[in-house]
């Protein structure tokens, strides 16, 4: 099979396109012919040897990736033979997802309808599940003014779509003219470039105070977004695309009546896990209520995909296609 392996921590160029022996599924496992593999920002940090939360720097060499969509092409013992040839998505890959073949537990598979694209399936399996979890933590109503940070990204795109369907006033903030144009094209009531000085002033002029901030950026921009929240508002932090985290000062938040939430902490501690959210996310796509944005790179260009994600040059969920 073809795969991307990391032999030493460092820049994206350390990701090597290699030919390796095909992985062999064990009892209760299947081998999937990969059509799309998900790439996550956390993997760009792990590639550099930086531990992230409960994720230590990986032992080397390593094939990154735990979520793929594709076709079951072989199975180990104790697996229902009816799975052979089925289109599936899974976030339970054990052999590494940056590859043309991947092994996963048969119990972790979700069957896909014939009309759902593989890239969209990968996007909704984790990114969509995360989005629904954040919205479960902080529901949005027609009374809200919502600010979605990184609104041209995978989660941001879905947050904008959902908030608009809920009848909220939606502000989408993104970096650069192309991303802002994309956010505006989704129907956001106001789209703003947060790389430009004075962006928060323009938000205030357009909508006044906001009641909910979904922050996947962190750092200085996360702090500036927090300052836009009115009394009694809510803030949800779920990422640090800027490379720095931001959690508001508890006393400051309390004085303004703002409730601050750790979105990832909620998802990690959610009773029963998040498997049901992935299934619900796929149902949202099938029903036409959510449409993920997907940006694809060929598997052999994984280094370019990592570089683009680190430089925040991507729009939507990034996937690799063998």
């Amino acid at each position: 099979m073809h795969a991307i392996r990391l032999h030493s921590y460092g820049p994206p160029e350390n990701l090597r396109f290699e030919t390796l022996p095909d992985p062999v599924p064990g009892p209760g496992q299947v081998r999937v012919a990969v059509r799309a593999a998900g790439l996550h920002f956390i993997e760009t940090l792990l590639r550099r040897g930086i531990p992230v939360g409960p994720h230590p720097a990986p032992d080397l060499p390593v094939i990154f990736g735990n979520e793929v969509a594709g076709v079951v092409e072989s199975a180990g013992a104790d697996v229902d033979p009816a799975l052979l040839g089925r289109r599936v998505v899974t976030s339970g890959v054990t052999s590494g997802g940056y590859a043309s073949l991947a092994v996963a537990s048969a119990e972790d598979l979700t069957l896909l309808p014939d009309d759902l694209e593989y890239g969209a399936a990968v996007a909704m399996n984790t990114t969509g599940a995360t989005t629904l979890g954040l919205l479960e933590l902080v529901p949005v109503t027609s009374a809200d003014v919502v600010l979605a940070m990184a609104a041209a990204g995978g989660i941001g795109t879905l947050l904008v779509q959902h908030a608009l369907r809920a009848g909220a006033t939606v502000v989408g903030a993104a970096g650069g003219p192309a991303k802002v144009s994309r956010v505006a094209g989704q129907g956001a009531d106001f789209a703003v470039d947060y790389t430009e000085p004075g962006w928060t002033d323009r938000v205030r002029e357009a909508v006044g105070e906001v009641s909910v901030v979904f922050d996947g950026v962190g750092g200085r921009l996360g702090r500036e977004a927090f300052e836009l929240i009115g009394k009694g508002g809510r803030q949800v932090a779920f990422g640090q695309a800027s490379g720095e985290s931001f959690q508001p000062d508890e006393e400051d938040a309390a004085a303004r009546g703002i409730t601050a939430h750790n979105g990832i902490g909620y998802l990690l501690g959610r009773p029963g896990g998040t498997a049901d959210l992935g299934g619900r996310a796929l149902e949202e796509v099938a029903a036409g209520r959510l449409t993920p944005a997907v940006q694809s790179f060929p598997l052999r260009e994984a280094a370019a995909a990592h570089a683009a994600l680190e430089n925040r040059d991507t729009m939507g969920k990034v996937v690799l296609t063998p």
Side-chain angles (χ1 to χ4, degrees):
M1 70 171 184
H2 291 134
I4 298 292
R5 261 202 314 185
L6 180 74
H7 292 266
S8 60
Y9 302 129
E13 292 74 21
N14 286 10
L15 294 168
R16 299 182 187 174
F17 182 76
E18 299 179 349
T19 301
L20 299 171
D22 295 347
V24 178
Q29 295 182 323
V30 299
R31 188 168 66 200
V32 178
V34 178
R35 299 291 185 264
L39 191 154
H40 293 271
F41 185 80
I42 186 177
E43 292 158 0
T44 69
L45 300 174
L46 295 174
R47 188 204 68 232
R48 291 155 57 193
I50 301 174
V52 182
H55 304 281
D59 295 330
L60 301 178
V62 65
I63 301 173
F64 285 122
N66 66 350
E67 63 174 347
V68 303
V71 179
V72 177
E73 57 93 55
S74 66
D78 304 320
V79 174
D80 184 352
L83 284 174
L84 293 174
R86 299 300 298 271
R87 304 172 79 248
V88 298
V89 64
T90 179
S91 57
V93 172
T94 59
S95 60
Y98 292 15
S100 55
L101 295 172
V103 167
S105 170
E107 293 182 350
D108 292 331
L109 303 178
T110 298
L111 301 180
L112 299 177
D114 291 339
D115 58 350
L116 182 61
E117 295 182 354
Y118 292 110
V122 168
M124 295 308 290
N125 188 57
T126 299
T127 300
T130 298
T131 303
L132 294 186
L134 297 175
L135 291 166
E136 181 180 76
L137 175 62
V138 178
V140 171
T141 72
S142 59
D144 283 312
V145 178
V146 175
L147 169 58
M149 301 289 282
I155 293 174
T157 293
L158 298 175
L159 288 171
V160 168
Q161 292 175 13
H162 176 89
L164 288 171
R165 287 185 61 85
T169 298
V170 181
V171 177
K179 292 184 178 182
V180 171
S181 177
R182 183 164 187 164
V183 173
Q186 292 187 71
D189 297 285
F190 185 64
V192 63
D193 187 341
Y194 52 34
T195 64
E196 294 184 351
W199 73 274
T200 55
D201 293 333
R202 287 191 284 279
V203 173
R204 288 190 181 94
E205 292 171 1
V207 299
E209 294 179 328
V210 303
S211 59
V212 181
V213 168
F214 289 101
D215 177 27
V217 178
R220 173 182 59 83
L221 292 174
R223 180 178 298 278
E224 291 174 353
F226 177 75
E227 294 303 321
L228 289 167
I229 304 175
K231 186 174 179 61
R234 296 160 290 168
Q235 182 254 18
V236 188
F238 62 91
Q240 52 185 62
S242 66
E244 300 178 356
S245 63
F246 168 71
Q247 288 289 343
D249 178 78
E250 292 183 4
E251 292 186 3
D252 182 20
R256 294 165 56 191
I258 296 173
T259 305
H261 299 273
N262 181 331
I264 299 304
Y266 170 76
L267 291 168
L268 291 175
R270 185 175 182 267
T274 59
D276 65 308
L277 294 176
R280 283 170 46 196
L282 291 172
E283 291 174 1
E284 291 293 297
V285 174
R289 291 187 290 267
L290 291 176
T291 303
V294 179
Q295 183 169 349
S296 299
F297 289 80
L299 177 64
R300 64 172 59 247
E301 295 179 15
H306 267 235
L309 193 58
E310 285 180 311
N311 295 330
R312 300 171 69 181
D313 290 333
T314 61
M315 288 191 279
K317 173 67 176 180
V318 179
V319 301
L320 302 175
T321 54

